[in-house]
Amino acid sequence: MNLKKIISTAAIVIISGLILYGFIIIRQIFSENTKFSENEVYIHIPTDSNYEAAKAILTPYIENIDHFEMVASKRNYPENVKAGRFLFTKGMNSYELVKALRSNVPVKLAFNNQERLENFAGRISSQIEADSISLLKTIKDSIFMKENGFNEENVFAMFIPNTYEFYWNTSSIKFRDKMIKEYRNFWTDERINKAKLQNLTPVEATILASIVHKESVKKDERPRIAGVYLNRLRLGMPLQADPTVIYAIKKKSNDFDQVIKRVFYNDLIMASPYNTYVNTGLPPGPIAMPDITAMDAVLNPEKHDYIFFCASVERFGYHDFGATLSEHNKNAKKYSDWINSQGVKR
């Protein structure tokens, strides 16, 4: 009888201990285990990170790292660290944290209004793991450019501004390959044929669109501006586009942060392949990243006889157009008088 009591008591103690242990384990697994104040944070685990490297990144966001490690070990996370971008929400428990580290959250990568490839690479590297140097090297790879009909001056034409979905740990090669695929998707047979009607290749159409893009922010006016430049190209006239001169100034000084609102005679005669006052035809590459409306303006230009235009002082943001030099000189004088009255020196 005493033995039975001893066995019963021991059993009760063991069961109670197991229950207590189970409760502790459950508490470790399912109690809140975050220590950030934001509602959500994104954790970035670099490519080829091992568990120790990942733990060092995770520790600042986790209240009790021992509880996390216990769950991580049970769920084989140390042997299966995954690179990428992972979402932690405030109040997650250890089980939920480990589960979140298995779900790589894509990045909505957006770009537009870039003036040159270097700025573009910097913009992309701020959104994915690949750094700007590796991006530039990959994009400017001589074999890649040759195979796809680009060179260092015009490879910037490959990038169609939009919002794309990438994993944060996308490599520079995967990014480039996705972009050339998007470029080919954009240049459908219909668009290629429209470019041919203007005697342009896709790259040339993009270069012209970059000028149209810089000339006007008014989307409804862009087809008319595109028509002017196409008329000039057909006549063998220089484009005489101020944005190309501004680009040449920035490129020569390697300062693309400067703001230039006015060009002068000495600017118009500067030696640069991008200066369309001294060179006929198109510049060797885009002077900016044109948006889709600028591209469509070149592919669907307005038909007219205008070969001149300048900024309007009566409809700000728009331009006055002329079919003759005398018309243009009148419009240009109005603009010159106005800008002098504003005291704009540069």
Side-chain angles (χ1 to χ4, degrees):
M1 187 69 177
N2 289 336
L3 181 59
K4 287 183 178 180
K5 285 185 176 181
I6 292 171
I7 293 173
S8 297
T9 302
I12 292 171
V13 170
I14 292 171
I15 292 171
S16 298
L18 290 173
I19 292 173
L20 179 60
Y21 177 74
F23 175 77
I24 292 171
I25 295 299
I26 290 172
R27 186 171 181 275
Q28 289 178 349
I29 295 173
F30 295 108
S31 61
E32 291 186 6
N33 197 18
T34 58
K35 64 173 181 181
F36 47 86
S37 59
E38 301 88 346
N39 289 328
E40 58 183 39
V41 295
Y42 284 98
I43 309 297
H44 298 86
I45 306 296
T47 300
D48 297 327
S49 293
N50 59 22
Y51 179 59
E52 290 303 315
K55 189 171 71 170
I57 295 169
L58 296 168
T59 297
Y61 303 95
I62 296 175
E63 184 68 37
N64 191 314
I65 197 65
D66 291 333
H67 290 179
F68 170 83
E69 286 203 87
M70 186 271 291
V71 177
S73 178
K74 294 293 183 183
R75 294 182 58 78
N76 300 315
Y77 178 70
E79 297 80 28
N80 297 282
V81 173
K82 188 175 183 180
R85 175 178 180 255
F86 307 97
L87 177 62
F88 282 4
T89 57
K90 187 177 181 180
M92 271 185 166
N93 57 49
S94 297
Y95 177 86
E96 291 169 326
L97 291 172
V98 174
K99 183 179 178 181
L101 289 167
R102 291 199 167 110
S103 181
N104 196 355
V105 181
V107 175
K108 294 291 185 181
L109 189 152
F111 55 82
N112 57 17
N113 293 329
Q114 305 299 299
E115 283 192 305
R116 58 176 183 162
L117 190 58
E118 289 79 2
N119 298 88
F120 172 73
R123 173 74 177 271
I124 299 306
S125 68
S126 70
Q127 299 178 76
I128 62 174
E129 183 179 18
D131 62 73
S132 58
I133 294 175
S134 68
L135 285 165
L136 284 172
K137 183 178 179 180
T138 302
I139 293 166
K140 290 184 174 182
D141 177 75
S142 58
I143 296 174
F144 169 80
M145 289 192 297
K146 185 176 181 180
E147 287 177 346
N148 292 283
F150 298 116
N151 57 46
E152 286 201 20
E153 293 291 343
N154 65 30
V155 71
F156 194 35
M158 181 176 82
F159 301 100
I160 308 299
N162 210 330
T163 299
Y164 302 94
E165 191 171 275
F166 284 91
Y167 287 114
W168 174 79
N169 53 311
T170 297
S171 69
S172 57
I173 291 177
K174 286 185 177 179
F175 173 78
R176 181 198 67 188
D177 291 348
K178 167 74 170 175
M179 288 294 95
I180 190 62
K181 182 179 179 181
E182 292 294 337
Y183 174 81
R184 291 171 183 149
N185 289 340
F186 177 83
W187 282 104
T188 60
D189 289 341
E190 180 183 7
R191 284 193 171 107
I192 291 172
N193 288 330
K194 284 184 175 183
K196 284 181 179 177
L197 288 175
Q198 310 306 327
N199 200 30
L200 299 171
T201 66
V203 169
E204 290 170 337
T206 305
I207 293 171
L208 183 55
S210 73
I211 299 173
V212 173
H213 178 95
K214 279 293 188 179
E215 282 286 11
S216 179
V217 297
K218 303 297 185 181
K219 296 177 181 179
D220 59 327
E221 189 186 53
R222 285 175 171 174
R224 179 169 291 188
I225 291 175
V228 171
Y229 284 133
L230 288 165
N231 286 344
R232 283 178 165 254
L233 287 173
R234 280 189 283 269
L235 292 169
M237 296 174 61
L239 294 182
Q240 295 185 330
D242 286 1
T244 66
V245 178
I246 292 171
Y247 182 87
I249 295 169
K250 291 181 176 181
K251 187 174 178 65
K252 184 177 181 180
S253 63
N254 197 32
D255 179 7
F256 280 80
D257 293 325
Q258 60 183 304
V259 177
I260 300 174
K261 295 182 178 180
R262 190 174 188 179
V263 294
F264 297 99
Y265 177 75
N266 286 340
D267 301 323
L268 303 182
I269 61 174
M270 73 177 294
S272 169
Y274 285 89
N275 184 353
T276 56
Y277 276 82
V278 297
N279 302 294
T280 56
L282 294 165
I287 62 168
M289 179 180 287
D291 64 23
I292 303 300
T293 63
M295 298 285 283
D296 285 341
V298 170
L299 299 179
N300 304 279
E302 183 179 307
K303 305 298 182 182
H304 53 62
D305 296 326
Y306 298 133
I307 54 174
F308 300 101
F309 69 96
C310 74
S312 174
V313 298
E314 294 160 351
R315 297 189 309 146
F316 288 107
Y318 285 92
H319 295 79
D320 293 324
F321 295 79
T324 66
L325 183 59
S326 61
E327 287 178 330
H328 175 63
N329 286 339
K330 291 179 182 177
N331 292 332
K333 186 177 187 306
K334 283 195 296 184
Y335 178 71
S336 179
D337 290 345
W338 177 83
I339 202 168
N340 285 333
S341 71
Q342 302 302 305
V344 177
K345 301 298 182 183
R346 188 42 147 170

